[in-house]
Amino acid sequence: MPTRDSVYSPLTVWQTLVVTTAITFFAGEFGPAGRWLVVGVLALALLKGSLVALHFMELRHAPTVWRLSVLGWLWLVVLGIVGAYLKGMP
Amino acid sequence: MSSSRTSSSSLVLSTPRVLQGDIAVWIFLLAELLAFGVFFLAYAFARARNPGLFDAEQAGLDRQSGLINTLLLVSSSALVAQAVAVVRRAGADASQRAAAALLGAIACGLGFIVVKGHEYAAHFAAGMELSSSTFSMFYLGLTGFHFFHVVLGLVVLVVLWRQTAAGVYRPGDANGLESGAAYWHMVDLVWLVLFPLVYVMH
Amino acid sequence: MSGVFTKSMARNVFYGGSVFFFLLFLGLTFDTVRALPKRDMRQNITPLVAEGKKVWETRNCIGCHTLLGEGAYFAPELGNVVTRYGEEGVKAFITSRPVDGIPGRRSMPQFNLTERELEAITAFLKHVSTIDTAKWPPNNQG
Amino acid sequence: MQYSSQAVAKPYFVAAIGLFVGQIIFGLIMGLQYVIGDFLFPAIPFNVARMVHTNLLIVWLLFGFMGAAYYLVPEESETELWSPKLAIILFWVFLVAGALTVVGYLAVPYATLAKMTGNDLLETMGREFLEQPLPTKIGIVVVALAFLFNITMTVLKGRKTAITSVLLLGLWGLAIFFLFAFYNPVNIVLDKMFWWYVVHLWVEGVWELILGAMLAFVLIKITGVDREVIEKWLYVIITLTLVTGLLGTGHHYFWIGTPEYWQWVGSVFSALEPIPFFALTVFAFNMVNRRRREHPNKAATLWALGTGVMSFLGAGVWGFLHTLAPVNYYTHGSQITAAHGHMAFYGAYVMVNLTMISYAMPLLRGRQANSEKSQVLEMWSFWLMTVSMVFITLFLTAAGILQIWLQRLASDPQPFMVVQDQVSLFYWMREWAGVIFLIGLLAYLASFFVGGRPAEARAS
């Protein structure tokens, strides 16, 4: 069976995740509160989630039904959170 | 199991459409994701109803330990992915190198437990409990639900570590390892949404 | 849906998953039992109230009524009946039930309760009405 | 029937159907009492008729489960039952205890029955579904333990299959959770909290395991699909059942005094509870479509598919209708709950028992399947009962919605009885649907006595 190496090695994916996590933290710690923080931080969550799903969970090679369900879940939840946040804006 | 198609246009053998691990685990994963997803949305909409309370009580959280925990889980997840890749390439003493990676993943997982336990101890000492406020109910509920998933995941990883060290897994015959890995990545994926939602957003 | 799907993995996931969620359920139940005293007014449970619960059970009131919404749907909710009709109203109603019922209408049997039993059942229903039920029922009609 | 000791199941099935008829008769009495308030008053007041109705339901379903276990365990374990004699003794003990209890309900006022049967020693009576006197409750525990011992010994000395291990898990769970019937604290909130261990963890927990095991067995026999496929789907379905059902108990902890986080936990997890029933329906249809043989017992196939669909509708859809806390705040303790109760019990546990009986009875009487004529009559009874149950549920749902509107949502809410009078039209229609249900049940009974040449298995 041909090997299924992911295009990126786990190391490069890991580095991206660490950097984006740091950005999320600093944005929250020092960045301005409000709409842009939320949208920015959740966009990063989308990126990180997709990386983990596609590379670590190897959904890149998986049948589309599984890839769609996990990525679909990620997008729906994040969009739901953003939607709820905007609705709750004072 | 799945035929690999060699299309004339691409020289590279197109990789077969195969799911990582056992479908039974994936069905369980999706059910868990659904439960977490609904809880996240419930949190988001409850927050929308009184943003002030949530922001005020969120300030009481220790965002740094949240950061450390995210880094720990992400690293642990990467190490498990590394272990799966090593077993699949099956070089010299692959089992030993994969087992080492799994051990690292377990260590990071334990780190998460320690940091989280420390965080909880502080909150419980301050008298926070499930029914003290809507925020505390969501905070303890969500992170607690996730916390016990990490504990379960560590049990799975220890079993996988022993099996890998014993050389049970080989390329094309690592269903247990891949299934456990998929579960652990799910636990990490859920935390990647939970961290910004609970700790950072305000 | 290609991919490995084995019975042994399905069994492992079954045992792992159900034990995990059972422990979570026990954990929450433990927390609930610990948090209950602040909500269930247990400090007001006098021997009279306990006796009232026994009268409630030995007359099988749950066979027609609901209590906090649980029971039979043939007769009104009694969790808040004391707030609806007052203690005297409840006692008067119970004692005034006609033995042969009301022609063509639902009617409560005449239980011939003693004075003590009447006091007890009313005390029990009064106690139930003080339990913190997250503002249920929606209104006085129950 | 491969093992002679499987014949022990026959009296259990016969008793089950007999008690089922009794249950429906008392159901009709109660249905009439809803519209003619003083029907049979004071001889059989509503609460007594209700006790008989609900207790007969539980007892006949337990008879069905035990009969199913006595039938399928020897065949699955490929060995004779450990002690057929014990099974017969337990049959009579359980039947007599049940009969005495019902006579006790009907013959003496409940308070007298309580005094006569030692309720003063240990108060366990007077709670919904657990109205049985203390001796009966102890009898149930004895019968359950002896039954489990008999079945477990058979499994231990024979082949272990997923079906028998899941069935055993379900049956042992059933017995263990019944022990909470003996816990009756003075504190009503604690009483209700652990009362749900007997009720919810039965019907939305271990009973679903029993249902899964029985249905898997019948599907293997009818469709001939290999055991490996069916058993792994069985595990997936019961995993989803317990994963959602255990924390799903929370949807009973909304308004009984328990902390308010249960409103979130209960709503979220019970909202997922229809998923295993949906998977069960897809699984049943999938197996029947991929069948490798044309089993002559088409009626049993219809029952098996019906179980999937109706349990998804009754327990799944009608359950979801009123499981979310904000909705349940208004529907709690209304006819909506009664509507869900009827269709869920019928769709899941009545139908899986009838599936088993419809599959096993011909074999117990020495033939693969009944005659074409008998099966046609049985299918008539299937549609009569199922459709009339759908209507009972629809009418009670309509009654519930109107009740909630008038009594809770309206700007000037009306008293309970005033609302009940305005809703009586639906209770009349429910009563007629109940009569048709009884006709369907009698047709089911008749189908066992219709003769004719047994249907043959056609080459698939």
Side-chain angles (χ1 to χ4, degrees):
Chain A
M1 202 178 82
T3 58
R4 290 181 277 113
D5 267 342
S6 62
V7 177
Y8 312 104
S9 76
L11 190 63
T12 43
V13 173
W14 176 72
Q15 281 157 350
T16 325
L17 291 173
V18 166
V19 167
T20 43
T21 303
I23 296 169
T24 308
F25 171 76
F26 288 110
E29 201 69 8
F30 310 106
R35 182 198 309 265
W36 295 114
L37 170 68
V38 168
V39 171
V41 149
L42 285 173
L44 284 178
L46 262 184
L47 170 70
K48 292 195 283 184
S50 311
L51 279 177
V52 166
L54 292 174
H55 295 285
F56 286 171
M57 294 169 112
E58 293 180 304
L59 283 173
R60 226 175 45 273
H61 304 302
T64 28
V65 65
W66 298 101
R67 181 169 50 255
L68 279 188
S69 21
V70 175
L71 290 182
W73 171 84
L74 186 63
W75 279 86
L76 269 176
V77 167
V78 168
L79 290 181
I81 294 170
V82 170
Y85 179 83
L86 298 180
K87 192 168 75 68
M89 291 281 286
Chain B
M1 206 164 51
S2 55
S3 62
S4 54
R5 296 168 306 283
T6 313
S7 56
S8 58
S9 62
S10 76
L11 291 174
V12 170
L13 208 61
S14 78
T15 48
R17 286 264 164 273
V18 169
L19 188 62
Q20 178 192 69
D22 199 298
I23 286 180
V25 170
W26 277 91
I27 294 174
F28 180 68
L29 283 191
L30 289 186
E32 294 270 33
L33 283 181
L34 197 56
F36 272 107
V38 174
F39 263 123
F40 288 151
L41 294 178
Y43 175 94
F45 282 100
R47 185 187 176 289
R49 266 202 295 280
N50 41 30
L53 165 85
F54 273 67
D55 284 350
E57 296 207 27
Q58 186 200 50
L61 294 185
D62 175 1
R63 191 175 287 136
Q64 263 172 349
S65 61
L67 168 72
I68 297 166
N69 275 346
T70 312
L71 296 176
L72 282 172
L73 263 193
V74 156
S75 317
S76 180
S77 206
L79 284 166
V80 167
Q82 174 71 8
V84 170
V86 163
V87 162
R88 196 169 288 136
R89 271 202 304 278
D93 59 46
S95 297
Q96 268 43 51
R97 280 187 292 114
L102 283 176
L103 204 58
I106 292 168
C108 294
L110 286 175
F112 177 95
I113 300 284
V114 166
V115 170
K116 199 71 207 164
H118 188 67
E119 212 184 321
Y120 279 150
H123 287 306
F124 289 146
M128 177 195 266
E129 57 171 28
L130 266 177
S131 359
S132 43
S133 80
T134 313
F135 177 82
S136 71
M137 186 263 301
F138 268 109
Y139 169 72
L140 291 177
L142 264 178
T143 53
F145 192 41
H146 177 267
F147 178 84
F148 288 112
H149 278 82
V150 172
V151 170
L152 177 65
L154 281 176
V155 169
V156 169
L157 284 185
V158 167
V159 170
L160 293 183
W161 166 61
R162 279 183 33 166
Q163 302 266 55
T164 310
V168 165
Y169 300 118
R170 262 178 298 287
D173 173 22
N175 184 29
L177 179 63
E178 289 188 9
S179 305
Y183 173 81
W184 190 246
H185 297 316
M186 181 274 291
V187 171
D188 180 31
L189 174 65
V190 162
W191 179 265
L192 289 179
V193 175
L194 193 147
F195 174 59
L197 174 68
V198 171
Y199 283 88
V200 178
M201 247 171 67
H202 59 276
Chain C
M1 284 258 285
S2 75
V4 170
F5 184 13
T6 59
K7 187 173 77 172
S8 60
M9 185 58 77
R11 184 178 49 243
N12 297 341
V13 168
F14 167 66
Y15 283 119
S18 42
V19 165
F20 177 74
F21 276 89
F22 189 71
L23 292 177
L24 278 187
F25 179 58
L26 285 190
L28 283 178
T29 304
F30 177 73
D31 178 78
T32 297
V33 169
R34 218 171 39 76
L36 267 186
K38 290 193 286 294
R39 303 177 57 90
D40 60 13
M41 303 301 142
R42 59 180 67 189
Q43 66 277 10
N44 304 341
I45 299 180
T46 61
L48 189 65
V49 167
E51 224 177 287
K53 183 168 191 281
K54 184 170 181 183
V55 173
W56 168 269
E57 286 167 355
T58 48
R59 274 37 175 210
N60 189 29
C61 306
I62 203 76
C64 289
H65 293 278
T66 50
L67 190 66
L68 300 186
E70 292 169 356
Y73 314 102
F74 188 73
E77 155 72 22
L78 293 185
N80 64 344
V81 71
V82 169
T83 44
R84 191 158 59 238
Y85 294 128
E87 291 187 54
E88 292 319 315
V90 168
K91 286 185 201 162
F93 186 87
I94 295 174
T95 46
S96 65
R97 287 309 84 210
V99 177
D100 297 327
I102 306 160
R105 301 219 25 100
R106 304 182 196 178
S107 175
M108 186 159 102
Q110 175 48 255
F111 290 109
N112 304 315
L113 297 183
T114 65
E115 193 49 39
R116 172 77 183 179
E117 284 166 341
L118 208 54
E119 290 297 327
I121 187 74
T122 312
F124 170 68
L125 292 175
K126 189 169 191 320
H127 161 67
V128 171
S129 67
T130 62
I131 293 169
D132 176 355
T133 56
K135 292 190 279 300
W136 192 89
N139 58 42
N140 209 11
Q141 300 306 339
Chain D
M1 192 174 81
Q2 295 155 2
Y3 294 86
S4 60
S5 61
Q6 287 179 288
V8 153
K10 194 168 173 188
Y12 281 85
F13 289 147
V14 171
I17 297 303
L19 297 177
F20 184 18
V21 173
Q23 178 217 340
I24 298 308
I25 287 166
F26 276 89
L28 290 176
I29 291 171
M30 291 158 66
L32 205 56
Q33 287 178 330
Y34 255 86
V35 283
I36 304 169
D38 64 340
F39 176 64
L40 296 182
F41 187 88
I44 305 179
F46 183 86
N47 65 346
V48 171
R50 192 173 195 265
M51 277 194 295
V52 176
H53 182 63
T54 55
N55 283 240
L56 280 180
L57 166 72
I58 308 287
V59 169
W60 93 254
L61 291 178
L62 291 180
F63 263 113
F65 288 154
M66 287 195 272
Y70 283 131
Y71 183 83
L72 74 88
V73 164
E75 194 161 323
E76 281 287 305
S77 308
E78 290 169 345
T79 174
E80 287 292 347
L81 184 63
W82 185 72
S83 161
K85 241 190 346 336
L86 176 62
I88 293 298
I89 295 165
L90 292 178
F91 168 74
W92 289 108
V93 167
F94 199 45
L95 192 65
V96 167
L100 280 179
T101 306
V102 169
V103 165
Y105 289 156
L106 294 170
V108 289
Y110 194 64
T112 320
L113 183 66
K115 238 184 279 313
M116 284 159 52
T117 55
N119 190 46
D120 301 333
L121 282 171
L122 179 65
E123 288 166 32
T124 65
M125 290 170 73
R127 291 178 300 164
E128 199 185 359
F129 308 125
L130 300 179
E131 299 92 350
Q132 308 79 22
L134 189 57
T136 309
K137 285 199 172 83
I138 293 169
I140 290 168
V141 170
V142 166
V143 166
L145 286 182
F147 159 73
L148 282 170
F149 182 73
N150 200 350
I151 291 290
T152 310
M153 292 303 284
T154 313
V155 169
L156 288 181
K157 70 182 170 89
R159 175 181 69 151
K160 316 282 186 293
T161 68
I163 287 178
T164 48
S165 53
V166 168
L167 182 70
L168 274 184
L169 210 57
L171 292 172
W172 276 104
L174 183 152
I176 288 161
F177 285 130
F178 181 73
L179 297 178
F180 284 93
F182 294 94
Y183 177 61
N184 184 14
V186 172
N187 181 339
I188 189 79
V189 179
L190 277 176
D191 170 4
K192 280 174 175 290
M193 233 183 101
F194 289 102
W195 174 77
W196 283 110
Y197 278 47
V198 186
V199 179
H200 174 91
L201 291 182
W202 265 22
V203 290
E204 288 171 77
V206 289
W207 280 33
E208 281 185 35
L209 267 61
I210 298 168
L211 180 142
M214 283 168 68
L215 206 61
F217 172 78
V218 170
L219 283 176
I220 286 181
K221 297 296 167 184
I222 282 179
T223 65
V225 169
D226 62 7
R227 171 181 294 279
E228 200 65 15
V229 173
I230 287 184
E231 284 187 339
K232 66 186 174 187
W233 276 107
L234 172 63
Y235 271 124
V236 167
I237 288 169
I238 54 175
T239 305
L240 293 174
T241 298
L242 291 187
V243 159
T244 57
L246 286 170
L247 286 178
T249 314
H251 66 185
H252 300 294
Y253 290 171
F254 292 160
W255 325 114
I256 57 168
T258 40
E260 288 175 28
Y261 57 76
W262 282 108
Q263 291 177 23
W264 297 97
V265 175
S267 296
V268 168
F269 280 93
S270 58
L272 306 179
E273 274 188 67
I275 293 173
F277 283 109
F278 180 71
L280 188 74
T281 309
V282 168
F283 164 69
F285 277 91
N286 210 324
M287 292 308 122
V288 171
N289 291 343
R290 288 163 50 184
R291 63 186 178 279
R292 294 237 193 88
R293 52 180 293 202
E294 283 302 321
H295 195 279
N297 195 339
K298 292 196 291 302
T301 315
L302 182 63
W303 281 109
L305 295 176
T307 304
V309 173
M310 287 306 292
S311 59
F312 174 63
L313 261 180
V317 172
W318 248 261
F320 180 75
L321 208 64
H322 63 138
T323 197
L324 300 179
V327 172
N328 195 263
Y329 182 69
Y330 291 101
T331 65
H332 185 56
S334 74
Q335 291 296 328
I336 300 280
T337 316
H340 162 67
H342 279 88
M343 196 190 244
F345 253 114
Y346 174 75
Y349 300 114
V350 169
M351 285 183 86
V352 77
N353 265 313
L354 295 185
T355 305
M356 196 69 199
I357 291 169
S358 170
Y359 167 75
M361 247 346 202
L363 291 161
L364 287 169
R365 299 162 90 186
R367 48 180 180 267
Q368 265 282 317
N370 290 333
S371 65
E372 288 298 333
K373 233 157 30 84
S374 156
Q375 285 194 43
V376 165
L377 183 55
E378 197 175 335
M379 291 190 194
W380 264 99
S381 78
F382 169 92
W383 290 107
L384 276 172
M385 282 200 273
T386 303
V387 170
S388 59
M389 181 50 78
V390 167
F391 276 108
I392 288 175
T393 304
L394 287 176
F395 294 142
L396 287 181
T397 304
I401 291 168
L402 194 54
Q403 174 185 24
I404 290 162
W405 179 261
L406 295 173
Q407 192 181 313
R408 291 178 176 165
L409 283 177
S411 48
D412 51 358
Q414 299 170 19
F416 179 87
M417 266 327 285
V418 171
V419 170
Q420 289 298 303
D421 292 336
Q422 296 165 69
V423 163
S424 59
L425 168 70
F426 293 111
Y427 292 143
W428 273 111
M429 294 159 83
R430 177 264 297 269
E431 183 65 3
W432 289 117
V435 169
I436 294 167
F437 187 94
L438 179 63
I439 294 166
L441 176 55
L442 296 179
Y444 184 75
L445 274 183
S447 73
F448 289 106
F449 301 102
V450 169
R453 202 173 44 75
E456 287 312 323
R458 290 189 316 283
S460 80

